[in-house]
């Protein structure tokens, strides 16, 4: 079986973490949290299945812990002194720029989650009411329209995150003569890079490939479609988002062939919608926590620079 898209996406950016040893003692905590995230990334790279929502939530929780350590680093006297002395330098500029761009990505993700959640709730409602075929198909079409918009917006964010990552990795520290400042920049760059990797997985989760066109032609048992078989014969195991997509395409195929979706298909679809809803709630919670940490870090930095 081929590697998952999520794993492939992480392979090129996965690297060892080597942080400066002469940094503030808080560096030990930061390095520990980065190492945990490195291990988490390694498990994803070695996996052959798409990354689940719960796995991504683990990454978001890890980021929240990491930013707690960054908060302590920013508020340490030696870092504050460096910031005040170089308030117009590369550290302040990079950190402020990075935080606002990461916050923008979080905001987009939050909006996309709200859109998908509304569609999931609408689908659950129409299936619970056992609405007619027209009502079901209309709601599925609305979900598909949202899915296209989500995929489009996710692609934009993925492109922006990749550009941000390239800019960070291309920047030099040759003009930074103050050792502590150079060390802090190195750490914060590592933090931003690992944040980008987690957000990238989040957007990949939301833009899970749609079911192959052959699954739209109708009526196959949902139980047989835990995997999507492409025309060339390879199979892709789907995550919670893709699983719902497969189920809905099957139901829509039944309706278009003038077949009535049976109770088993409806029950399986409802279970998959529930699983997706639960997964998205966990992701939203993790994303909101990360968002608050990013805001807090930014405020702390601005407060120091205002001294």
């Amino acid at each position: 079986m081929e590697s998952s898209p999520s794993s492939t996406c992480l392979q090129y950016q996965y690297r060892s973490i080597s942080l400066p040893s002469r940094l503030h003692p808080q560096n030990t905590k930061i390095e520990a949290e980065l190492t945990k995230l490195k291990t988490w990334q390694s498990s994803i790279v070695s996996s052959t299945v798409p990354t689940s929502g719960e796995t991504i939530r683990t990454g978001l929780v890890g980021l929240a812990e990491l930013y707690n350590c960054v908060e302590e680093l920013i508020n340490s006297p030696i870092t504050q002194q460096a910031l005040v002395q170089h308030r117009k330098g590369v550290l302040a500029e990079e950190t402020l720029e990075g935080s606002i761009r990461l916050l923008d990505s979080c905001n987009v993700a939050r909006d996309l989650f709200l859109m998908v959640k509304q569609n999931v709730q609408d689908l659950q409602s129409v299936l619970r009411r056992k609405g007619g075929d027209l009502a079901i198909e209309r709601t599925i079409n609305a979900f598909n329209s949202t899915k296209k918009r989500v995929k489009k917006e996710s692609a934009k964010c993925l492109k922006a995150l990749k550009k941000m990552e390239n800019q960070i990795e291309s920047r030099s520290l040759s003009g930074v003569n103050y050792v502590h400042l150079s060390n802090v920049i190195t750490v914060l760059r590592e933090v931003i890079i690992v944040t980008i990797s987690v957000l990238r997985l989040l957007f990949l989760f939301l833009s899970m490939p749609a079911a192959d066109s052959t699954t739209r032609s109708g009526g196959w048992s949902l139980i047989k479609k835990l995997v999507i078989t492409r025309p060339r014969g390879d199979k892709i195991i789907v995550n919670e988002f893709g699983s719902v997509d497969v189920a809905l395409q099957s139901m829509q195929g039944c309706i278009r062939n003038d077949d009535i979706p049976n109770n088993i298909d409806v029950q399986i679809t409802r279970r998959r919608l529930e699983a997706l809803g639960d997964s998205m709630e966990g992701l939203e919670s993790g994303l909101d926590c990360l968002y608050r940490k990013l805001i807090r870090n930014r405020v702390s930095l601005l407060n120091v620079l205002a001294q």
Side-chain angles (χ1 to χ4, degrees), residues 18-125:
S18 179
L19 300 181
S21 59
R22 297 179 60 190
L23 193 57
H24 182 267
Q26 186 58 34
N27 179 50
T28 303
K29 295 182 181 179
I30 293 178
E31 187 165 7
E33 295 302 328
L34 282 170
T35 300
K36 289 179 186 177
L37 286 165
K38 180 183 71 171
T39 303
W40 171 82
Q41 284 184 323
S42 180
S43 68
I44 294 173
V45 170
S46 62
S47 176
T48 58
V49 298
T51 309
S52 69
E54 180 60 30
T55 299
I56 300 171
R57 180 181 174 277
T58 299
L60 291 169
V61 171
L63 284 180
E65 291 298 323
L66 177 61
Y67 277 98
N68 282 335
C69 300
V70 172
E71 175 82 5
E72 294 182 32
L73 176 63
I74 291 174
N75 290 326
S76 67
I78 188 172
T79 301
Q80 290 193 359
Q81 181 182 8
L83 286 169
V84 170
Q85 292 177 357
H86 302 81
R87 67 184 70 202
K88 293 184 179 181
V90 63
L91 175 58
E93 180 182 344
E94 275 194 17
T95 308
L96 288 174
E97 177 189 1
S99 66
I100 198 66
R101 291 166 75 177
L102 292 175
L103 284 168
D104 286 344
S105 293
C106 288
N107 273 324
V108 172
R110 293 166 85 187
D111 290 343
L112 297 182
F113 274 124
L114 287 175
M115 291 167 53
V116 175
K117 276 182 63 178
Q118 183 59 57
N119 282 135
V120 168
Q121 290 169 1
D122 290 344
L123 283 164
Q124 289 175 320
S125 178

Side-chain angles (χ1 to χ4, degrees), residues 21 36 38 40 65 67 72 74-75 77 110 112-113 166 182 195 209 216 221 238 244 256 262 265 270 273 276 297:
S21 59
K36 289 179 186 177
K38 180 183 71 171
W40 171 82
E65 291 298 323
Y67 277 98
E72 294 182 32
I74 291 174
N75 290 326
R110 293 166 85 187
L112 297 182
F113 274 124
N166 289 339
S182 175
T195 304
R216 300 189 185 97
S221 169
V238 293
V244 165
R256 289 176 178 174
N262 59 53
D265 282 1
R270 288 175 62 180
L273 285 167
L276 176 60
N297 273 203

Side-chain angles (χ1 to χ4, degrees), residues 49 84 126 148 158 160 183 207 233 245 251 287-288:
V49 298
V84 170
V126 74
K148 289 179 182 178
L158 286 168
N183 289 342
S207 57
D245 185 49
M251 291 192 69
L287 187 62
D288 286 343

Side-chain angles (χ1 to χ4, degrees), residues 228-245:
I228 302 171
T229 303
R230 288 178 171 176
R232 66 174 183 267
D234 58 320
K235 296 180 179 181
I236 301 177
I237 301 175
V238 293
N239 60 18
E240 299 96 325
F241 203 96
S243 179
V244 165
D245 185 49

Side-chain angles (χ1 to χ4, degrees), residues 192-211:
I192 292 175
I193 290 295
V194 76
T195 304
I196 289 173
S197 72
V198 177
L199 291 176
R200 179 183 287 119
L201 278 174
L202 187 63
F203 286 114
L204 284 171
F205 176 85
L206 286 170
S207 57
M208 183 69 187

